[in-house]
Every structure is written in C-alpha cells, then in structure tokens.
Amino acid sequence: MVLMVIDHARDYSAGPGVVADPMDLGAVTPLLFVMRWLAHFCAPVFALAMGASVYLSARGRSKEAVAAKTWRRGLLLVLLEFTVIDWAWNFYPLWPRKFFQVIGALGISLVILSAFVRWDRRWALAVGAGIVALHNLTDGVRFDAASAAHYVWSFLHQKNVLPLGGGFEVRTTYPFLPVAGVALLGYGFGEWIAHGGRRLVTGGVVMLGAFFALRMGIGYGDASLFAPQRDALLTVFSALNVTKYPLSLQFVLMTLGPAWIGLGLRERYDGWLDRALRLLGRVPMCFYVVHLYLVHAFALIWAAAAGLGGPDWRRFGGVPAGFGFPLWVTIPFALFVVAASYPVCRWYEALRASRRYRWTEYL
C-alpha cells in the first residue's frame, strides 16, 4: 500500500524525467520506470489477498451468511468508487469523467466471489485459473461502439471511455474480468496464503518461470511483446513492460510470483515499523480513502503556497497549471502522506474493534 501511495503522489510530479506515459521506453528515465513498475504489484496482490481473506473469514461460519456479506461488501465498494473515491481524485463531484478503477473492479470481483463461497473452493481455483490463463485469447474481441455489448465488454475486458449522456462519461481503467480471476485464485489458495511456507515459495518460482517462458519464448499472454532495445537496461525494461489494463496473464505471473515467494518466506517481526504497517493493513479501505484525500489536498496547498493561486476547477483535480515537483520529491512526499494517514487509521481500527457501528464490518 505504501508503493501505491508513491505512485499516486507521482501524479503531481513534474520536471526532468517526467513524461505522460511512465512506461514509454522511448522517453522514460530509469527512476520513473522503476517507480511505476513497483506500483504494478499493488492491484493483483490486493485482489489475491482479498480472495484469501474471504476464504479465511468463511472457516467455521455459515456459508450463506459469508456469501451475503461478501456481495454486500462488493456492492459497497462499487458505490464508493463512484462517490467518495471519485471525489477524492477530482474534489469536484460534477467533473464529467468518472473512473472505474481498482476499487470498483475489486467490488465486482467480490460479488462474483460470493457465488463461490457456497461451493467447494476447488471450483473457485479452477475458474480463477481458467480466467487468468485464458482471458488473453479474447484480446482481439471488439464490438460496435454504439452497442450494449461494447459497454459490457469495456467493463469486462477492454479499457475504454464510454459516453453516458448529459456530458458525462466513464473510463473503464480496470476491466474486472482478470481481477476477478485473481480474487478467485486467492480464495482457492486461501489456506496456502494464510500459512506461507515452502509451497508458496515453490509456486512463486513456478510463476516466475512461466512468466519468463512466455515473455521470452511463446509470447502468449500479453499484447505488448518483448523486443531487444538499444542498450541492456532498456532491454530489461522491455521484458518487464507488460500490460496492466486489463491485467494480462504475463502481468499476473510477473507480480504474483515474487509476492508468493515473499509470503512464503515471511517471518513475524515486532519492530515499530512492522507494527505500523500491519495496522495500515488491518484497515486497508480507510487508508486507501484517507491517503487519496491527503495527497490531493497537500498538493493543492503546496500549489497555493508556491504562488500559483487556488484550485482551477477547469482542470482535473483543480490543480493549477504549472504546479509540480521534481520526481525525486515523490518519495518523501508520499511518506509524509503515509505518516499523516496513520493517526486516522489508528482511530478507525479502534472504532472497528469497539463494534459500535455495524457498518464498520464492511469497511
């Protein structure tokens, strides 16, 4: 989640080495590429952990009750995506473009996952593996832009901007089909993920082996093909430059492989940093929402302090033209946001523990 904050803070950076597309090998600097590439781990690991948490919450409980809570949580995430989270990005509820991003995709995935809670987890494992492994076979599928199928397919598997009428539109940044596949894998492997150990390490090594075999050999599983570049570093970057929207098979293998190895090798520490990170992990939705508002608010305050004036609501997020900071400042800025988020997360964790409000069970 801290890597996620760094990536979101980078949206406000400007200066040498900052380009419109941080994965453009023809223009990107090594620091920018690495910062963006590290953020690739966030979405698939979130989906995997979410599926595993549903599996763990279902042990010893009524499957019907767990399924009902799971789909309600999913619908709540979709609602938050288009309200609270959307407002955090632009600070202007009437901004004409809405974004269907990772929280919305996770929400739909929870709704899908709720159907599998009533069945043997091997069904979730089989369907999840099938989606992740085979969905790239449909990369070339397209529908007429005016058709209902185009709208449905854009949410399922194709990143698009969809007109909604009245001057509004929605961008399907995170098509949810492969995200749901990863969540189902998390549910199917929930017991493994909970206990770590050698099986996860072996599984992670197998994933990385499959990634390199596909990337360097067969070529299946990603629309962006590997190609040697003018120097060794860019050639490595080309090997790692896989498709995130939607999550490709190669993308999932590249990110979940190291994640599985890390989960398998993890040990329990009890230092202050470990305790702080675990607290953030126990209230992930609170942290997600709070950090978005803080990183945006601090950027606007910074712009005003720099003499650029107040928010310009003709621009996305109200950020005045000319505002930005050097790329290297992104990391301390992000860490400052994390530190500022911590007291709120600690308060919310205590609120959840008190069970004073029933709605805290869902967030």
Side-chain angles (χ1 to χ4, degrees):
M1 292 195 299
V2 174
L3 293 176
M4 171 190 67
V5 179
I6 293 174
D7 190 53
H8 292 163
R10 181 190 53 78
D11 289 333
Y12 298 95
S13 64
V18 179
V19 296
D21 180 1
M23 308 304 286
D24 180 359
L25 299 184
V28 73
T29 63
L31 177 60
L32 179 57
F33 184 93
V34 170
M35 288 176 65
R36 178 58 176 166
W37 183 79
L38 288 174
H40 282 356
F41 287 83
C42 301
V45 174
F46 290 170
L48 184 80
M50 182 183 74
S53 70
V54 172
Y55 171 78
L56 295 176
S57 70
R59 293 189 300 184
R61 298 178 59 193
S62 162
K63 292 184 177 181
E64 289 72 21
V66 173
K69 185 175 181 179
T70 300
W71 70 256
R72 286 196 293 263
R73 290 184 69 186
L75 292 180
L76 181 58
L77 291 187
V78 176
L79 176 63
L80 290 175
E81 180 73 277
F82 290 111
T83 55
V84 174
I85 294 171
D86 177 73
W87 302 335
W89 283 110
N90 54 52
F91 280 9
Y92 183 49
L94 297 181
W95 186 262
R97 175 173 288 186
K98 306 302 176 183
F99 295 88
F100 181 80
Q101 300 196 92
V102 66
I103 299 302
L106 291 174
I108 297 295
S109 300
L110 277 177
V111 174
I112 295 171
L113 181 54
S114 68
F116 288 83
V117 170
R118 297 181 174 89
W119 305 340
D120 189 293
R121 66 183 179 88
R122 287 174 290 187
W123 282 104
L125 190 59
V127 174
I131 292 173
V132 171
L134 302 176
H135 78 91
N136 284 116
L137 292 173
T138 66
D139 284 346
V141 174
R142 296 292 184 270
F143 296 95
D144 183 87
S147 68
H150 175 71
Y151 278 69
V152 172
W153 190 241
S154 295
F155 280 96
L156 272 170
H157 198 262
Q158 185 185 2
K159 180 181 176 181
N160 272 317
V161 175
L162 304 173
L164 298 177
F168 288 91
E169 60 188 16
V170 60
R171 189 176 79 173
T172 56
T173 305
Y174 271 92
F176 68 79
L177 181 61
V179 178
V182 175
L184 290 172
L185 285 178
Y187 183 82
F189 283 113
E191 199 67 37
W192 287 26
I193 295 170
H195 292 97
R198 184 177 301 174
R199 290 183 299 184
L200 280 184
V201 174
T202 302
V205 171
V206 170
M207 287 185 189
L208 286 179
F211 166 70
F212 284 110
L214 292 174
R215 193 71 180 151
M216 304 300 172
I218 302 172
Y220 170 74
D222 201 285
S224 175
L225 300 178
F226 165 72
Q229 304 294 308
R230 63 178 181 270
D231 58 50
L233 183 60
L234 285 179
T235 298
V236 172
F237 286 174
S238 177
L240 301 176
N241 189 18
V242 289
T243 303
K244 184 177 183 179
Y245 309 112
L247 309 181
S248 71
L249 169 60
Q250 292 185 23
F251 184 97
V252 170
L253 293 171
M254 180 188 73
T255 52
L256 290 191
W260 275 46
I261 293 172
L263 287 168
L265 296 176
R266 73 184 186 273
E267 295 179 357
R268 277 292 182 185
Y269 299 95
D270 198 31
W272 66 270
L273 180 59
D274 183 67
R275 291 194 298 271
L277 292 175
R278 279 191 275 133
L279 184 147
L280 298 181
R282 288 193 294 269
V283 288
M285 181 52 61
C286 174
F287 178 70
Y288 187 90
V289 172
V290 169
H291 99 271
L292 283 180
Y293 278 92
L294 289 182
V295 75
H296 193 169
F298 289 152
L300 291 178
I301 293 170
W302 191 340
L308 297 174
D312 180 0
W313 299 118
R314 295 169 299 179
R315 298 169 53 85
F316 179 77
V319 179
F323 172 72
F325 46 78
L327 185 60
W328 67 268
V329 177
T330 298
I331 295 178
F333 180 52
L335 295 179
F336 175 73
V337 170
V338 172
S341 303
Y342 185 81
V344 182
C345 293
R346 185 170 57 184
W347 165 82
Y348 184 69
E349 184 192 37
L351 181 68
R352 286 185 62 187
S354 71
R355 299 185 178 181
R356 183 178 178 185
Y357 303 103
R358 186 175 179 182
W359 59 264
T360 60
E361 298 178 12
Y362 295 89
L363 295 173

